[in-house]
Amino acid sequence: MSAEAPSLRLPGFYRATEVRVHDTPLSPIVELTRWTAEEERRLGRRPTVLFSEVVGHPDAAVLVNPCPKPVLLEAMGLDGAHWAEQLEHRLRAPGPGVLTRRREWKTLSGLDALPVPQHRPGDAGRYITAGVGITRSPEGEVNLGVYRVQVVDSHRARIFFDPRTDAHRNWSRHLEAGESMDVTVFIGASPVHLLAGASRLTEGGSDFEVAARLAGEQLVLDDRFGVPVDAQYVLTGRVGGTLETEGPFAEFKGYYVPARESPVLEVTEVASAESPYYPTIVTGAESGLTLMSLQNEYLMYAHLVERGFPVESVVYPHAARAEFLAVVVSPEPCEELLRAAMDFDVRSKMVVCAPEAEDFWQMVAVYGFSVEKHTYYRKGVEYGDRVGFVFDRKPDGWPVEF
């Protein structure tokens, strides 16, 4: 069933989507996500579900699929039709700034007090997937990132830092200086922080300033942990040179990534809001792919518009895992536009520049197009080709009415 967001202890931006409430007790070990997967198959889409009766956690609720696109746009106050243009203007404007104030926290016994799910049967254990990690460079620059965290016990976890991320660089530099690195993870604040953490935006300074620009308003951090005042959970700890085996874990492409050595997070403090909800992202569909597609779309849009190209929209379809196919819609598709898009996002395996995006196969049938081919590299190793299509030769005649 569905209910209004305030009665579910959820922020107002969840009014932008249907939130279903499941009040039959389920275990956080696979049962929550299995039920969601079965409902997704039945509906043909992933629902947003608040599980209000989580076995072993009577004072918490788990929110699955917390970041569908309407919720993200509502949280940022963006128009659904013109959000990319509005966001591009915000990113070019001066930031609205960040404030701090006091808030109350409830101290928890440790990680076992959190209703952290095991998402799939083949996962190595329970994983925090919608947490935003805060790390700092030795110079004090603040980085936000979304890093999976495998819960080991009440005060120990394993956190995966991709070698390409700022967190991994910060960690490496702290180790080189002979010191461990402080890490804070917050869960359940406005999804603008997840978007800022997933984005490849400006380097230097604080990523909270980036989040404020995305939100279009001042952000407020609490003066104790330095996390957003609307966060539901927060954990603090330190990461040193100790590594342990983390994984396997079901990643966004629909495959398990194998076990690997990752740093150990020694947890020093865990706290929550008074009546918290716990968001979790099940990889491979809406929420995880929404964050990825939205940040890819606005980054590509802003890059091309800044270079003077007339761009109406950019789409990274979820069917291509929101990363490997980019569709650039322009009234003037051309080879220069295609090259600019392919050079900007070298992770995409296919880039399409076209005057419309509704029916790709219809365009193949009636438009003439040119093709560009580059070498595709996966983690620095040649891995086949990447191709670009520019549909720049208009069909004869005009379209039928029906």
Side-chain angles (χ1 to χ4, degrees):
M1 71 178 182
S2 64
E4 291 296 316
S7 67
L8 306 179
R9 304 172 296 188
L10 298 181
F13 46 74
Y14 279 105
R15 292 192 181 94
T17 192
E18 178 189 16
V19 179
R20 308 185 68 202
V21 182
H22 188 282
D23 55 8
T24 301
L26 287 176
S27 168
I29 307 303
V30 180
E31 286 187 4
L32 300 181
T33 49
R34 190 190 304 278
W35 187 93
T36 303
E38 292 171 353
E39 194 69 359
E40 182 177 358
R41 284 192 290 270
R42 187 182 72 83
L43 297 173
R45 58 177 177 81
R46 176 164 291 186
T48 296
V49 184
L50 187 79
F51 293 92
S52 59
E53 298 291 335
V54 182
V55 173
H57 299 275
D59 297 325
V62 173
L63 183 68
V64 174
N65 189 21
C67 303
K69 189 172 181 178
V71 168
L72 280 170
L73 297 182
E74 181 70 19
M76 293 186 286
L78 294 174
D79 184 299
H82 305 286
W83 68 267
E85 180 181 356
Q86 294 169 350
L87 209 52
E88 192 267 337
H89 291 319
R90 287 185 186 178
L91 291 175
R92 288 193 287 106
V98 178
L99 304 175
T100 59
R101 70 170 171 82
R102 180 181 175 83
R103 67 156 283 184
E104 297 299 321
W105 293 95
K106 181 169 65 174
T107 299
L108 303 180
S109 59
L111 292 176
D112 288 342
L114 275 62
V116 182
Q118 177 175 337
H119 295 90
R120 290 189 170 92
D123 288 346
R126 299 185 299 139
Y127 272 88
I128 297 171
T129 56
V132 179
I134 305 174
T135 65
R136 289 174 172 81
S137 70
E139 295 76 28
E141 293 177 347
V142 177
N143 167 254
L144 301 181
V146 182
Y147 314 110
R148 66 176 183 262
V149 180
Q150 181 187 352
V151 174
V152 178
D153 59 36
S154 192
H155 289 89
R156 193 161 57 99
R158 299 163 188 148
I159 185 167
F160 173 64
F161 294 145
D162 189 297
R164 298 166 292 184
T165 62
D166 290 330
H168 190 279
R169 285 187 288 273
N170 291 342
W171 173 54
S172 299
R173 293 184 62 202
H174 280 286
L175 291 183
E176 290 169 1
E179 59 191 22
S180 58
M181 181 177 71
D182 290 331
V183 177
T184 300
V185 178
F186 63 90
I187 306 163
S190 166
V192 70
H193 301 99
L194 284 165
L195 189 60
S199 300
R200 310 181 307 279
L201 286 173
T202 55
E203 296 182 359
S206 170
D207 278 356
F208 280 120
E209 297 286 350
V210 173
R213 288 162 64 194
L214 292 173
E217 61 184 15
Q218 284 186 323
L219 295 184
V220 183
L221 306 182
D222 103 287
D223 60 2
R224 177 179 170 187
F225 294 112
V227 302
V229 292
D230 57 340
Q232 300 296 297
Y233 292 91
V234 60
L235 60 98
T236 64
R238 297 184 69 82
V239 170
T242 303
L243 303 178
E244 290 184 355
T245 301
E246 177 267 320
F249 178 73
E251 263 289 6
F252 74 103
K253 294 181 186 178
Y255 288 81
Y256 288 97
V257 292
R260 65 191 73 197
E261 296 298 291
S262 291
V264 172
L265 174 63
E266 299 290 348
V267 176
T268 55
E269 194 167 6
V270 182
S272 77
E274 187 60 36
S275 298
Y277 67 93
Y278 179 91
T280 192
I281 293 174
V282 184
T283 58
E286 195 173 49
S287 273
L289 295 186
T290 307
L291 288 166
M292 189 173 295
S293 65
L294 201 69
Q295 65 115 348
N296 284 336
E297 288 164 7
Y298 76 66
L299 287 171
M300 177 72 84
Y301 178 90
H303 174 79
L304 296 175
V305 168
E306 184 181 10
R307 279 148 186 78
F309 293 106
V311 176
E312 293 179 356
S313 65
V314 177
V315 180
Y316 279 76
H318 287 193
R321 293 301 189 247
E323 181 175 321
F324 302 104
L325 167 63
V327 181
V328 179
V329 179
S330 169
E332 301 174 21
C334 60
E335 293 182 2
E336 291 79 10
L337 173 60
L338 176 64
R339 292 193 192 100
M342 294 185 74
D343 290 344
F344 178 70
D345 187 1
V346 297
R347 298 174 307 164
S348 58
K349 294 182 178 180
M350 181 180 294
V351 177
V352 175
C353 294
E356 57 183 278
E358 292 184 2
D359 191 338
F360 177 78
W361 299 118
Q362 173 70 3
M363 287 194 303
V364 170
V366 300
Y367 277 82
F369 58 87
S370 301
V371 178
E372 185 150 333
K373 186 172 74 170
H374 297 175
T375 301
Y376 181 74
Y377 292 93
R378 181 176 180 269
K379 297 182 179 179
V381 179
E382 186 175 334
Y383 199 68
D385 295 326
R386 53 194 299 259
V387 295
F389 297 85
V390 55
F391 289 83
D392 54 356
R393 296 168 178 83
K394 295 182 180 179
D396 297 329
W398 57 92
V400 298
E401 294 81 3
F402 53 85

